[in-house]
């Protein structure tokens, strides 16, 4: 087992990893930017190294500084958390070359899944269902036109280097397709330095359902059931739950088997997530594979009674997994508490939290790095806490969440708490009838203003 792990991240996920390391008897090294000198992850770790100034590019993304911090502290592994360098193939490779175990995917796995068109090709070859569309990248506009006629409008054009909606266009006719061919490629080139595009049939009002998987160094892969992440705004997840209200035992078995096939196809080592789009007929299609621990791993932990960070560390250390698949027990929901103003287009609201009081009691979990008097710096992600409830049924988990949100006191900054309170009252959410289109069509602003 590792003796010392360096955590190449900040905020709640850095704390989350430090806590599991402590339970496993592993020493920890925190790295931090100048803006994070007073952060809890710095105080909770056994050692801490300042790796640069405020900007992420000069600190949490600065590979030489992080490797240097690992060398001087003698860390034998690096946990990248999520975001930052967690899906950076170059970083995974440099760790390997420096004899530091990267607690995450191998460079070739990150690379293979990072290019969406080639990931899709891998899945087609492995027999995982994918959305009908172009065979690989579009060669020219004629190719796009021909493919769109074959699969039928509406279609969606996607950047192969994309994800998160950048360089993505829905086209309902040939005129829109022609515009997309120019604008999406330009956007992708500016954002990723890669203008490779592919085309798919557009699935109307899908659900985003993802399967958590784990694979060990001996080729064994299992699934740890699903998470429904359909409540999103501009590709930012706001609420996640498990099990999915749309799931059946039969569908879970099929999607679980497909996710395992996907992971086996790339000899996946570590914990990962296979994302699917699911249409109203319960057809499911591979969308992307995430080769990192995700923000929403918490809800899975609550329904399968499993520490996923511990599992990641064990797999990286060469310990075999049991290989058994897991069914969820009970129901867990997570609301992301962001320092954002929901009445002002979710604009970031950094600053000092003058009052802070957390909810508590049965079935409540809060993963956060903030405390009363803490100042949220403006340089990083605006998520400041994850509020998770777990209960026997979906109704009880929702009721508990409403109770917890009403107890949560944060003053000095704006947060997404009032938004969540309104959302949980919404009939469509209560019915579990959520698709990725839901938030687009809901005038939450007016409803929130009326209730102030
Ligand atoms: C789609 C789709 C409908 N049909 N592909 C959005 C981000 C990127 N990862 C893929 N996305 C989508 N791909 C086809 N063929 C709809 C979306 C989509 C979406 C997917 C998951 C969660 C939220 C979403 C919001 C808008 C669009």
């Amino acid at each position: 087992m590792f003796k010392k792990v360096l955590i190449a991240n900040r905020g709640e996920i850095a704390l989350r990893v430090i806590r599991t390391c402590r339970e496993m008897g592993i020493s920890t090294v925190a790295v931090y930017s100048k803006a994070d000198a007073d952060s809890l992850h710095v105080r909770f770790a056994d050692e801490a190294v300042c790796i640069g100034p405020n900007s992420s590019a000069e600190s949490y993304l600065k590979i030489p500084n992080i490797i240097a911090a690992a060398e001087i502290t003698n860390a034998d592994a690096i946990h990248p958390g999520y975001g930052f360098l967690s899906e950076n193939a170059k970083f995974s490779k440099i760790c390997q070359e420096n004899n530091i175990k990267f607690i995450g995917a191998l460079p070739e796995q990150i690379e293979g899944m990072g290019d969406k068109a080639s990931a899709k090709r891998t899945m087609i070859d492995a027999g995982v269902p994918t959305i009908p569309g172009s065979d690989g990248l579009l060669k020219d506009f004629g190719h796009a036109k021909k493919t769109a006629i074959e699969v039928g409008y509406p279609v969606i054009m996607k950047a192969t280097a994309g994800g998160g909606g950048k360089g993505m266009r829905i086209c309902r006719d040939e005129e829109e397709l022609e515009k997309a061919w120019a604008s999406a490629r330009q956007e992708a080139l500016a954002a990723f330095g890669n203008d490779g595009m592919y085309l798919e049939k557009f699935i109307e009002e899908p659900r985003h359902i993802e399967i958590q998987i784990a694979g060990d160094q001996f080729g064994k892969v299992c699934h740890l059931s699903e998470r429904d992440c359909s409540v999103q705004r501009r590709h930012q997840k706001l609420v996640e739950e498990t099990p999915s209200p749309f799931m059946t035992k039969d569908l879970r078995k099929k999607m679980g088997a497909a996710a395992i096939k996907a992971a086996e196809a790339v000899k996946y080592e570590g914990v990962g997530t296979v994302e699917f789009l699911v249409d109203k007929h319960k057809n499911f299609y591979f969308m992307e594979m995430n080769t990192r621990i995700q923000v929403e791993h918490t809800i899975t932990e609550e329904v399968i009674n499993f520490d996923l960070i511990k599992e990641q560390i064990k797999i990286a250390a060469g310990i075999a997994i049991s290989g058994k698949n897991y069914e969820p027990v009970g129901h867990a929901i997570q609301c992301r508490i962001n320092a954002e103003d929901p009445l002002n287009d979710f604009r970031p609201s950094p600053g000092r939290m003058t009052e802070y009081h957390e909810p508590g009691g049965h079935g409540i979990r809060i993963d956060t790095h903030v405390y009363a008097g803490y100042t949220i710096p403006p340089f990083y992600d605006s998520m400041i806490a994850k509020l998770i409830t777990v209960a026997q049924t979906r109704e009880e988990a929702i009721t508990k969440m409403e109770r917890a949100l009403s107890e949560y006191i944060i003053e000095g900054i704006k947060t997404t708490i009032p938004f969540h309170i309104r959302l949980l009252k919404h009939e469509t959410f209560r019915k579990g009838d959520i698709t990725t289109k839901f938030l687009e069509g809901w005038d939450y602003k007016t409803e929130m203003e009326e209730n102030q």
Side-chain angles (χ1 to χ4, degrees):
M1 185 41 70
F2 307 118
K3 289 195 176 62
K4 198 186 270 186
V5 172
L6 180 144
I7 298 101
N9 215 302
R10 64 179 300 282
E12 70 84 19
I13 194 63
L15 271 185
R16 169 75 192 81
V17 175
I18 291 168
R19 284 175 168 145
T20 288
C21 287
R22 168 86 19 107
E23 290 172 18
M24 295 175 78
I26 300 169
S27 319
T28 52
V29 182
V31 293
Y32 63 97
S33 68
K34 213 169 150 212
D36 280 338
D38 298 326
S39 283
L40 280 192
H41 78 283
V42 174
R43 282 195 245 167
F44 275 39
D46 297 306
E47 292 167 79
V49 182
C50 183
I51 50 163
N54 299 342
S55 94
S56 300
E58 293 178 274
S59 54
Y60 298 106
L61 290 169
K62 194 97 180 167
I63 296 175
N65 297 17
I66 294 167
I67 297 291
E71 307 255 89
I72 55 170
T73 55
N74 238 332
D76 44 14
I78 294 183
H79 195 301
Y82 50 71
F84 294 127
L85 297 170
S86 61
E87 290 175 294
N88 185 308
K90 198 171 119 201
F91 184 57
S92 173
K93 184 117 213 286
I94 290 171
C95 287
Q96 223 172 37
E97 286 163 359
N98 284 276
N99 241 337
I100 301 164
K101 182 70 191 177
F102 178 74
I103 306 176
L106 300 171
E108 55 272 23
Q109 295 167 341
I110 298 176
E111 213 145 88
M113 288 302 140
D115 185 89
K116 308 300 173 200
S118 83
K120 191 171 172 181
R121 165 68 19 220
T122 305
M123 294 310 151
I124 294 170
D125 293 343
V128 177
T130 59
I131 301 167
S134 60
D135 182 10
L137 295 180
L138 295 169
K139 291 172 191 72
D140 48 37
F141 179 63
H143 187 190
K145 221 161 73 174
K146 185 168 159 274
T147 310
I149 291 165
E150 265 166 33
V151 300
Y153 286 97
V155 294
I156 184 166
M157 199 181 281
K158 295 182 176 179
T160 193
K166 262 227 178 83
M168 199 176 88
R169 297 284 187 283
I170 299 161
C171 315
R172 304 212 169 257
D173 54 41
E174 202 171 297
E175 201 187 314
E176 289 184 358
L177 188 72
E178 189 151 16
K179 281 192 196 131
W181 177 245
S183 74
R185 271 162 69 227
Q186 197 175 13
E187 189 176 308
L189 190 64
F192 317 113
N194 175 351
D195 65 356
M197 306 297 291
Y198 63 107
L199 198 81
E200 285 180 346
K201 173 89 190 154
F202 179 65
I203 312 286
E204 306 265 8
E205 306 201 27
R207 283 170 172 78
H208 170 129
I209 301 179
E210 55 188 35
I211 306 280
Q212 177 73 55
I213 56 106
D216 66 17
Q217 295 182 15
F218 310 97
K220 216 183 298 171
V221 181
C222 67
H223 82 77
L224 307 166
S225 79
E226 80 281 2
R227 294 183 286 261
D228 193 318
C229 308
S230 300
V231 182
Q232 305 197 4
R233 183 186 169 274
R234 300 193 183 160
H235 306 291
Q236 294 294 319
K237 294 168 185 167
L238 283 162
V239 178
E240 299 105 340
E241 65 179 304
T242 179
S244 166
F246 198 60
M247 193 51 71
T248 61
K249 259 207 149 80
D250 179 58
L251 183 61
R252 182 178 296 121
K253 204 169 157 189
K254 287 183 185 147
M255 289 181 68
I260 289 173
K261 252 202 264 182
E264 281 174 346
V266 294
K267 296 190 165 53
Y268 193 74
E269 276 179 40
V271 310
T273 301
V274 185
E275 293 184 359
F276 293 98
L277 283 185
V278 184
D279 72 15
K280 57 177 183 286
H281 308 294
K282 292 194 158 68
N283 297 310
F284 62 89
Y285 308 95
F286 171 85
M287 194 165 46
E288 283 174 26
M289 181 167 179
N290 300 316
T291 57
R292 60 170 190 274
I293 191 80
Q294 285 184 278
V295 174
E296 61 272 25
H297 75 277
T298 50
I299 55 171
T300 299
E301 293 186 322
E302 296 306 315
V303 295
I304 65 172
N305 207 7
F306 218 85
D307 180 336
L308 283 170
I309 303 289
K310 187 172 178 182
E311 217 49 35
Q312 271 191 305
I313 295 171
K314 281 165 66 182
I315 290 168
I319 297 170
I321 60 170
S322 81
K324 127 181 184 336
N325 298 325
Y326 283 77
E327 287 278 319
V329 177
H331 199 100
I333 303 180
Q334 170 168 286
C335 287
R336 296 194 190 192
I337 313 300
N338 299 341
E340 293 171 352
D341 181 1
L343 288 179
N344 238 314
D345 218 23
F346 287 78
R347 180 195 302 163
S349 174
R352 186 164 181 272
M353 301 169 64
T354 51
E355 296 280 340
Y356 183 78
H357 177 82
E358 277 179 4
H362 178 237
I364 308 282
R365 167 175 172 181
I366 297 167
D367 279 23
T368 186
H369 60 293
V370 306
Y371 50 86
Y374 176 72
T375 298
I376 297 147
F379 314 109
Y380 315 107
D381 195 87
S382 62
M383 193 183 72
I384 55 166
K386 307 189 296 200
L387 173 57
I388 302 113
T389 63
V390 57
Q392 286 184 19
T393 66
R394 184 170 192 266
E395 277 64 52
E396 289 172 306
I398 293 173
T399 305
K400 212 178 262 296
M401 185 63 82
E402 291 186 302
R403 190 269 290 168
L405 287 164
S406 75
E407 269 181 40
Y408 214 153
I409 296 167
I410 300 177
E411 277 168 27
I413 57 159
K414 298 270 196 265
T415 76
T416 47
I417 292 172
F419 169 86
H420 287 301
I421 291 172
R422 293 299 310 159
L423 172 73
L424 264 53
K425 288 193 210 299
H426 200 290
E427 198 189 316
T428 308
F429 181 82
R430 296 299 272 219
K431 286 198 294 203
D433 201 11
I434 299 280
T435 72
T436 55
K437 264 204 95 119
F438 168 67
L439 285 188
E440 270 178 55
W442 178 37
D443 186 9
Y444 53 85
K445 237 176 107 171
T446 305
E447 279 194 38
M448 283 174 64
E449 276 162 351
E450 276 165 8
N451 281 274
Q452 268 186 345

